[in-house]
């Protein structure tokens, strides 16, 4: 298996406007595993009143707000109804293929959103392809003024002004204070948004950390597109794992805060990655490969995409769901070549632990 799994920071700038923000991606040339496994990632940064113009893309993804506040609008081609939601740090929002969306920094501080998703139908495997409705790079610019006039029931003067007024726009702009943004909808937020930072953890360990997840159970749309996500927070010295994706899905993670170490083991017990990771980096775990995340002294936080609508992991760690705990003592005795007394001690220690282990006190 020839996969380059080393962690990377975004290396490609799609657009960057001083005082407004930028959009950055991980190129498939520098991180080829993205194109090989048909997944993608993008990072949107907007300053106060920064606005990403309406656009759609050729793949589905999940947005996670790393910092700041945002008003986002989404229009699905299926119903042509704009859903406007206000999202903040910790919120997740699915964006399906072909859905038109726009993003506005509604807060006073910097807005950062990471997008993780699949790219099986992308024009450029491993990289999102965006189609902007307006701006100098907008799709309308490809049509003549005469066609625009006919399509929108305008006269020639009106169509020429429409095209001229947007020709100077960048993909990211700063909204004038005189423009009133649309009001967000609470019903749309209940349907589309799930806050991972404030969710009840599915795993929580004192002095160790916690895990929370979002799937089709929380947001129906995720079940339709076959994606789910989780957020991990590990305190200094704590360890997550070993765990593996047990349903042939793959796991893509973005470090939102802190630093640590990631170890991935592949076929025949061979270590395929043992590296330090830090804020802003992306790392990938192939299907079925067990992995461990160990936090540095200052702790680590990460947002992870799973290419399945279910959060199914096999646990090779301690805990009630551990595969070691489920195994019969005689099977472990034979498989681990240990005495019955050692097996008994081994299983008793497993039952006391969890998939997250706090710093060792030994």
């Amino acid at each position: 298996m020839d996969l380059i799994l080393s962690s990377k920071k975004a290396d490609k700038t799609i657009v960057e406007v001083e005082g407004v923000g930028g959009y950055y991606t991980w190129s498939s040339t520098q991180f080829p595993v993205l194109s090989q496994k048909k997944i993608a990632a993008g990072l949107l940064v907007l300053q106060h009143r920064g606005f990403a113009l309406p656009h759609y893309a050729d793949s589905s993804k999940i947005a996670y707000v790393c910092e700041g506040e945002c008003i986002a609008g989404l229009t699905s081609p299926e119903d042509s109804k704009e859903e406007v939601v206000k999202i903040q740090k910790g919120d997740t929002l699915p964006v399906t293929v072909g859905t038109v969306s726009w993003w506005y920094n509604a807060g006073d501080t910097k807005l950062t959103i990471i997008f993780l998703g699949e790219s099986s139908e992308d024009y450029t495997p491993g990289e999102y392809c965006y189609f902007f409705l307006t701006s100098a790079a907008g799709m309308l610019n490809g049509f003549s003024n005469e066609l625009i006039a006919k399509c929108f029931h305008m006269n020639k003067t009106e169509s020429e002004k429409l095209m001229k007024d947007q020709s100077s726009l960048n993909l990211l702009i700063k909204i004038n204070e005189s423009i009133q943004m649309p009001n967000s909808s609470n019903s749309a937020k209940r349907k589309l948004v799930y806050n991972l930072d404030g969710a009840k953890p599915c795993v929580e360990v004192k002095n160790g950390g916690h895990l929370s997840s979002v799937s089709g159970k929380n947001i129906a749309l995720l079940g339709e597109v076959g994606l789910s996500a989780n957020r991990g927070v590990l305190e200094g010295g704590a360890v997550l794992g070993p765990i593996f994706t047990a349903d042939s899905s793959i796991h893509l993670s973005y470090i939102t805060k802190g630093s640590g170490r990631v170890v991935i083991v592949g076929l025949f017990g061979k270590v395929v990655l043992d590296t330090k990771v830090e804020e802003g980096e992306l790392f990938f775990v192939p299907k079925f490969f067990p992995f461990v995340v160990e936090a540095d002294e200052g702790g680590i936080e990460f947002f992870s995409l799973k290419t399945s609508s279910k959060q199914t992991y096999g646990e090779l760690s301690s805990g009630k769901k551990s595969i070691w705990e489920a195994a019969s003592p005689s099977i472990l005795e034979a498989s681990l070549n240990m005495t019955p007394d050692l097996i008994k001690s081994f299983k008793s220690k497993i039952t006391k632990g969890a998939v997250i282990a706090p710093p060792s006190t030994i």
Side-chain angles (χ1 to χ4, degrees), residues 195-232:
N195 188 281
L196 278 176
D197 289 20
K200 181 180 179 180
C202 48
V203 177
E204 188 170 21
V205 176
K206 185 178 180 180
N207 299 322
H210 60 269
L211 287 174
S212 52
S213 65
V214 59
S215 66
K217 293 181 179 179
N218 313 108
I219 301 178
L221 198 56
L222 288 177
E224 296 176 19
V225 299
L227 298 174
S228 61
N230 58 66
R231 174 178 180 260

Side-chain angles (χ1 to χ4, degrees), residues 72-90:
L74 299 95
T75 304
S76 169
E78 294 184 2
D79 56 21
S80 297
K81 176 185 176 183
E82 185 179 63
E83 303 273 20
V84 180
V85 294
K86 187 173 183 178
I87 53 179
Q88 59 187 4
K89 184 182 182 305

Side-chain angles (χ1 to χ4, degrees), residues 80-289:
S80 297
K81 176 185 176 183
E82 185 179 63
E83 303 273 20
V84 180
V85 294
K86 187 173 183 178
I87 53 179
Q88 59 187 4
K89 184 182 182 305
D91 279 340
T92 56
L93 176 65
V95 184
T96 58
V97 59
T99 291
V100 174
S101 68
W102 50 261
W103 308 79
Y104 171 68
N105 183 347
D108 296 324
T109 59
K110 182 174 70 173
L111 169 69
T112 304
I113 300 176
I114 181 70
F115 297 91
L116 301 181
E118 56 85 30
S119 65
S120 58
E121 302 298 330
D122 282 13
Y123 279 100
T124 304
E127 298 182 38
Y128 299 129
C129 185
Y130 290 100
F131 301 82
F132 280 81
L133 274 61
T134 64
S135 81
M139 304 305 293
L140 292 182
N141 285 310
F143 301 101
S144 67
N145 285 336
E146 291 75 14
L147 281 176
I148 293 296
K150 288 182 179 180
C151 292
F152 296 108
H153 309 287
M154 293 177 167
N155 59 44
K156 184 179 179 181
T157 301
E158 290 171 331
S159 67
E160 288 178 349
K161 179 173 174 53
L162 172 67
M163 302 311 295
K164 181 181 179 180
D165 287 351
Q166 63 170 298
S167 63
S168 61
L169 292 178
N170 210 318
L171 302 179
L172 302 179
I173 64 172
K174 194 158 191 173
I175 291 286
N176 191 297
E177 292 186 7
S178 63
I179 296 179
Q180 182 67 41
M181 300 302 290
N183 294 323
S184 58
S185 164
N186 288 330
S187 61
K189 185 168 185 174
R190 286 192 295 268
K191 181 175 68 173
L192 298 172
V193 179
Y194 188 81
N195 188 281
L196 278 176
D197 289 20
K200 181 180 179 180
C202 48
V203 177
E204 188 170 21
V205 176
K206 185 178 180 180
N207 299 322
H210 60 269
L211 287 174
S212 52
S213 65
V214 59
S215 66
K217 293 181 179 179
N218 313 108
I219 301 178
L221 198 56
L222 288 177
E224 296 176 19
V225 299
L227 298 174
S228 61
N230 58 66
R231 174 178 180 260
V233 176
L234 298 179
E235 298 186 24
V239 175
L240 166 69
I243 59 175
F244 63 93
T245 58
D247 55 2
S248 78
S249 62
I250 55 181
H251 178 108
L252 183 66
S253 291
Y254 174 78
I255 310 300
T256 59
K257 185 178 180 181
S259 61
R261 176 189 179 199
V262 172
V263 181
I264 305 174
V265 176
L267 299 175
F268 306 110
K270 179 182 178 182
V271 176
V272 295
L273 182 69
D274 186 346
T275 189
K276 180 179 176 65
V277 293
E278 58 186 24
E279 183 177 334
E281 290 188 333
L282 201 68
F283 72 89
F284 163 82
V285 182
K287 59 184 180 182
F288 301 120
F289 282 26

